[in-house]
Amino acid sequence: MERQAYRIDKVGSTSNLKLVTESLDEPQANEVQVEVHAIGLNFADVFAIHGLYSATPKGSFVPGLEFAGVITKAGAEVSGFKKGDRVMGVTRFGGYASHLNIDDRHIVPLADDWTYEEGAAYLVQGMTAYYALVFLGGLQKNQNVLIHSGAGGVGIMANRIAKCYDAFTIGTIGSDKKLKVLEAEGFDAKIVRSKKFGNDLEEALNGRELNLIVETIGGEIFKAGYNLLAPQGRMVVVGASQFASPGSKPNYLKLLWKFLTRPKIDPQQMIQENRSVMGFNLIWLYEKVDVMDDLLKDMAKLDLGKPMVGQVFEFDQLHEAIKLFQSGRSTGKVVVKTNA
């Protein structure tokens, strides 16, 4: 069959991302073919398009890590799904398309009362937040948690998960225009990041220990948070938005300067101060299906509610969606609907 897909032949600029019509093979025995109804945008998409992501495929590829849609065909060995099932899923790139083939281990049923847009907004954000907080961060009841990019998809989910553990949560944002989102999501303290972030964080803690940080920024913000971590405190790095570029292509000199001047941590000092820094890449989880299953089962036990879909674009507006996402002005999840 033929499908529409946004394909990039040469990384380096979003302007190289072109909408094409191309053939899609029949699904293999362990795969299903999905008519995609909604696509979720992620920072990894932009970094891959710019050629700054180590997991970026070589040569021509279709970006996109998550989607929701309807199964149109099922391979001979697929037993848990059938034609007509509504599903949401994750893919190691390939999501920016009207149709795709996917291993049935990488999809889950989409609840009847969830929209396709909500389905495309849940898996990457939810698994990132849960893996960071619980699996790596070791979140315990009544701890104090700093969550950067609190009005974004991961930040919102991280706060909801932390609240299930009765945590005191501090959310940070880049603009006071997003304060209403933090208020609606029930963050206990809110910080608009600035050059006095360290002082603002200390004030927000108000004598409390800082036990856990979900770090997404980098640079001086990273450094200020690390310096206030309590003994046995953990910082889990899930992103580095300081390296994001608002334009169609990166400013490589600026990126190089940020890279060379990024904070350095002495392992010996970490031992003396009893602090930890961890990081992970969600693409790694793609190959660890058993871990993904455990994450989703554990998340299902929590009352996390539906994901917040902030902005929805049409398929032919994908470039506009990416521009908004890069600008830092979006809240919740940015989703693109296909023409299905």
Side-chain angles (χ1 to χ4, degrees):
M1 67 164 294
E2 288 193 335
R3 70 171 185 177
Q4 286 191 307
Y6 279 92
R7 181 170 290 279
I8 186 165
D9 294 326
K10 182 181 179 182
V11 298
S13 173
T14 53
S15 63
N16 295 337
L17 188 63
K18 306 294 184 183
L19 181 59
V20 299
T21 300
E22 60 185 23
S23 296
L24 180 65
D25 294 335
E26 290 293 301
Q28 296 182 18
N30 64 326
E31 293 181 332
V32 296
Q33 191 167 100
V34 178
E35 180 183 76
V36 177
H37 285 243
I39 302 158
L41 300 192
N42 294 282
F43 268 115
D45 302 348
V46 179
F47 284 131
I49 292 168
H50 285 169
L52 301 175
Y53 195 25
S54 60
T56 303
K58 302 297 183 184
S60 177
F61 72 99
V62 175
L65 300 180
E66 62 184 327
F67 62 90
V70 178
I71 294 176
T72 56
K73 295 180 182 180
E77 296 177 5
V78 175
S79 59
F81 297 94
K82 64 184 184 303
K83 181 179 178 180
D85 285 350
R86 300 168 76 244
V87 296
M88 52 185 175
V90 292
T91 177
R92 186 164 182 163
F93 302 105
Y96 289 6
S98 63
H99 299 75
L100 55 80
N101 295 330
I102 187 78
D103 189 314
D104 69 336
R105 297 175 302 170
H106 295 135
I107 57 173
V108 294
L110 178 62
D112 292 339
D113 62 340
W114 280 38
T115 66
Y116 291 111
E117 291 80 8
E118 289 166 341
Y122 180 69
L123 289 177
V124 169
Q125 274 64 37
M127 289 193 295
T128 298
Y130 193 87
Y131 194 76
L133 286 170
V134 181
F135 272 54
L136 294 183
L139 179 61
Q140 302 294 315
K141 284 279 187 179
N142 300 307
Q143 288 191 325
N144 307 306
V145 184
L146 172 64
I147 301 170
H148 287 301
S149 306
V154 173
I156 288 170
M157 277 295 169
N159 181 64
R160 294 181 187 180
I161 292 166
K163 282 301 173 186
C164 291
Y165 287 76
D166 298 319
F168 179 88
T169 57
I170 304 170
T172 82
I173 47 179
S175 165
D176 58 8
K177 294 179 181 179
K178 300 181 181 182
L179 280 170
K180 289 184 178 179
V181 176
L182 300 191
E183 292 168 0
E185 288 294 327
F187 281 88
D188 296 294
K190 299 160 278 289
I191 300 174
V192 180
R193 295 186 301 273
S194 69
K195 291 183 178 179
K196 60 185 186 69
F197 172 72
N199 292 332
D200 290 340
L201 176 56
E202 200 163 4
E203 184 176 327
L205 287 166
N206 193 26
R208 300 177 181 86
E209 289 189 337
L210 180 55
N211 306 115
L212 181 55
I213 301 174
V214 179
E215 164 61 36
T216 66
I217 309 299
E220 292 300 316
I221 299 297
F222 172 105
K223 190 174 180 179
Y226 178 82
N227 287 341
L228 286 175
L229 269 177
Q232 294 189 318
R234 301 183 180 192
M235 174 187 283
V236 183
V237 182
V238 302
S241 64
Q242 70 157 342
F243 293 111
S245 302
S248 62
K249 58 183 179 180
N251 181 330
Y252 291 104
L253 287 177
K254 188 175 182 181
L255 289 180
L256 179 60
W257 173 252
K258 288 183 176 180
F259 180 78
L260 293 175
T261 58
R262 69 195 188 284
K264 312 294 194 302
I265 297 175
D266 180 359
Q268 189 62 38
Q269 186 179 0
M270 291 175 66
I271 295 171
Q272 294 170 359
E273 296 174 343
N274 201 8
R275 297 170 177 167
S276 300
V277 176
M278 293 166 280
F280 82 99
N281 180 335
L282 195 66
I283 294 293
W284 173 82
L285 283 179
Y286 186 85
E287 304 297 338
K288 305 292 182 180
V289 178
D290 54 338
V291 177
M292 284 179 56
D293 287 344
D294 288 343
L295 285 176
L296 293 173
K297 287 176 184 176
D298 290 345
M299 288 165 58
K301 298 174 185 176
L302 304 179
D303 183 16
L304 300 180
K306 295 180 178 181
M308 175 184 168
V309 177
Q311 294 82 20
V312 179
F313 290 81
E314 299 296 330
F315 198 50
D316 60 2
Q317 296 177 312
L318 184 88
H319 281 276
E320 287 84 348
I322 292 174
K323 286 179 182 177
L324 174 66
F325 189 66
Q326 289 178 278
S327 72
R329 299 194 306 271
S330 63
T331 56
K333 184 73 170 185
V334 179
V335 173
V336 175
K337 296 192 299 182
T338 71
N339 300 322

